């Protein structure tokens, strides 16, 4: 294991209290406890030689008996100031609370109970500060998540009853489920789709039912990871290209874009991902004549229909006696 500050500092903070609770600890056993090599653990102990209280005098620094270490025994002294576990700062505690709330949104009934208990203890320690943060994840029903978690643990294929927003119909794909995850406020199932013979992701809040098939999952190679951001290839988003007049360029400052290209006469071509057809329809209606082209054309169909209906209703209102 490479020595880096991000991995070593937390390990050192845990190592000192452990060694004080286990006098003359065995080097090999301690390395196993901390999941590092004996060579790395010796390097950690040498770093501790230079740690201690302000002043830096011999009596201020932690002492390691190197003769005992050569014999495979760790003997640590002059480190009583680190005997107690370190306290969380308010910022660290709030970060943990946010993380626990996200896990709770995705947990099944058994795990959810443990997460709620841990979160309640942290919130009690933080006090009113915990009310300043909140998190919401569209993760579907707790029972659905539990059934999927059980299927993943058992290595069993399942049949989903899935409501796809893009087509507005329910489907019942047979999949090999492998992982649950979150991204951009949504919970997802990563699974191998039997019919498509490819990896697919399914939004948990669109899974209506899970039915075990009794069949074992297959080996389909490496499991793809969920993208890290919502400008990556989202599983429920479609790429759309817009050509805009100058008065429509403002959207590049308010909405994430895959690319922005200048066109002749001050026009702009943008590529963006659209996950919510309703949101995109409202955007097109707001842009109005500032949009000169939409690709694919069908992406603008609902906006065109809505505009025609609005014009028709306005005309009927004008002609009314």
């Amino acid at each position: 294991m490479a020595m880096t500050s991000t991995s070593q500092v937390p390990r050192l903070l845990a190592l000192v209290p452990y060694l004080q609770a286990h006098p003359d600890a065995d080097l090999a056993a301690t390395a196993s406890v901390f999941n590092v090599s004996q060579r790395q653990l010796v390097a950690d102990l040498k770093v501790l030689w230079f740690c201690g209280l302000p002043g830096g005098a011999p009596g201020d620094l932690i002492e390691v008996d190197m003769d005992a270490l050569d014999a495979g025994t760790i003997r640590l002294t002059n480190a009583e100031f680190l005997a107690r576990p370190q306290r969380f700062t308010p910022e660290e505690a709030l970060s943990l609370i946010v993380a626990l709330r996200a896990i709770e949104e995705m947990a099944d009934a058994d795990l959810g109970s443990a997460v709620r208990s841990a979160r309640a203890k942290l919130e009690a320690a933080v006090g009113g500060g915990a009310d300043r943060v909140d998190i919401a994840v569209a993760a579907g029903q707790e029972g659905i998540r539990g059934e999927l978690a059980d299927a993943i643990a058992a290595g069993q294929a399942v049949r989903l009853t899935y409501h796809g927003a893009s087509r507005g119909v329910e489907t019942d794909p047979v999949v090999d489920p492998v992982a649950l995850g979150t991204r951009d406020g949504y919970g997802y199932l990563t699974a191998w789709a039997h019919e498509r013979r490819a990896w697919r992701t399914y939004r948990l809040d669109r899974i209506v039912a899970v039915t075990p098939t009794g069949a074992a999952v297959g080996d389909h190679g490496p499991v793809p990871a969920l993208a890290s951001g919502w400008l990556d290839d989202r599983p429920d988003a479609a790429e759309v290209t817009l050509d805009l007049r100058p008065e429509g360029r403002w959207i590049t400052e308010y909405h994430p874009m895959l690319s922005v290209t200048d066109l002749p006469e001050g026009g702009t071509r943008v590529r963006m991902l659209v996950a919510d057809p309703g949101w995109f329809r409202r955007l097109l209606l707001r842009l109005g004549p500032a949009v000169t082209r939409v690709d694919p054309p069908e992406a603008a169909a609902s906006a065109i229909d809505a505009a025609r209906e609005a014009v028709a209703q306005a005309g009927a209102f004008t002609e009314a006696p």
Side-chain angles (χ1 to χ4, degrees), residues 6 42 174 185 237:
T6 55
V42 170
V174 175

Side-chain angles (χ1 to χ4, degrees), residues 42-63:
V42 170
D44 290 342
L45 293 168
K46 290 182 178 179
V47 170
L48 285 176
W49 256 352
F50 300 94
C51 300
L53 296 172
D60 297 324
L61 301 179
I62 296 174
E63 297 179 3

